[in-house]
Amino acid sequence: MTVLPIRQIAYFVADVRAAAARHHALFGSGPYYVADNIPLAACLYRGEPAELDHSSAYGQWGDLMIEFVQQNNPGPSAFHDMYPEGSGREGIHHVALFVDDVDASIAAYAAQGHDCALRAVTGTGLVFAMIDMVATHGHMVELYSPTPSLTGFYAMIADAAREGVGNALIRPIRFD
């Protein structure tokens, strides 16, 4: 068995900017790069076509990336599976792992009884998936292949943390 280290911890929140500011105040994390209305070229929720409009804030906390994510559109999703729409609840949603092949990993997790709650393709072609491990682990597991653009993004976030927050805790970023 291959050990897959956790690359990121993600929290579902109502407001990514406010959550990032609170986390920074408590733990010194950041700075945070915020992407609004992240474009998805394709999205399947539990195997069916779906719409997902979300915003995320990405920052560094020690050796680990932190993501705060909010869903901007109503309706079912891997986020609302754990935090029902209108409940006002927030909390840890997933940890992210790098895998060699997202679809092969989805099949391997399914063979172990863990359903794919979300499979999506970003506007830049990055494939990612959310594996439902809530019953056994209390959270989802997100899978990505470590493409050069993804590992470069992780490196940029880590480098920004080493440089410090300065006057800009929240910084805009786009993924299109």
Side-chain angles (χ1 to χ4, degrees):
M1 169 177 260
T2 303
V3 174
L4 300 174
I6 294 171
R7 305 299 180 145
Q8 175 197 80
I9 297 175
Y11 298 86
F12 180 77
V13 297
D15 181 323
V16 297
R17 288 168 178 80
R22 284 191 307 268
H23 200 272
H24 171 75
L26 285 168
F27 303 111
S29 60
Y32 284 89
Y33 288 82
V34 177
D36 287 308
N37 311 104
I38 298 170
L40 296 179
C43 181
L44 295 175
Y45 168 68
R46 301 208 176 264
E48 297 295 324
E51 295 294 322
L52 178 62
D53 177 358
H54 68 292
S55 299
S56 291
Y58 305 93
Q60 196 75 12
W61 185 21
D63 293 331
L64 198 58
M65 180 186 278
I66 297 295
E67 177 185 13
F68 296 104
V69 62
Q70 70 188 48
Q71 183 169 331
N72 301 320
N73 65 310
S77 70
F79 301 120
H80 287 162
D81 283 355
M82 290 182 64
Y83 301 99
E85 188 174 344
S87 70
R89 293 181 46 229
E90 299 182 335
I92 189 168
H93 183 265
H94 64 266
V95 297
L97 310 176
F98 289 170
V99 297
D100 291 332
D101 183 320
V102 171
D103 290 322
S105 295
I106 290 170
Y109 281 107
Q112 296 177 39
H114 301 290
D115 294 334
C116 180
L118 171 76
R119 183 187 183 280
V121 181
T122 67
T124 60
L126 180 71
V127 176
F128 69 98
M130 297 277 183
I131 304 301
D132 187 344
M133 300 186 86
V134 175
T136 57
H137 291 81
H139 57 78
M140 302 261 181
V141 172
E142 184 175 40
L143 307 175
Y144 285 107
S145 292
T147 64
S149 63
L150 181 65
T151 57
F153 176 69
Y154 270 69
M156 181 200 78
I157 298 297
D159 289 346
R162 281 189 287 280
E163 293 167 8
V165 171
N167 293 328
L169 174 63
I170 305 296
R171 302 168 185 191
I173 192 168
R174 295 180 56 93
F175 295 124
D176 50 6

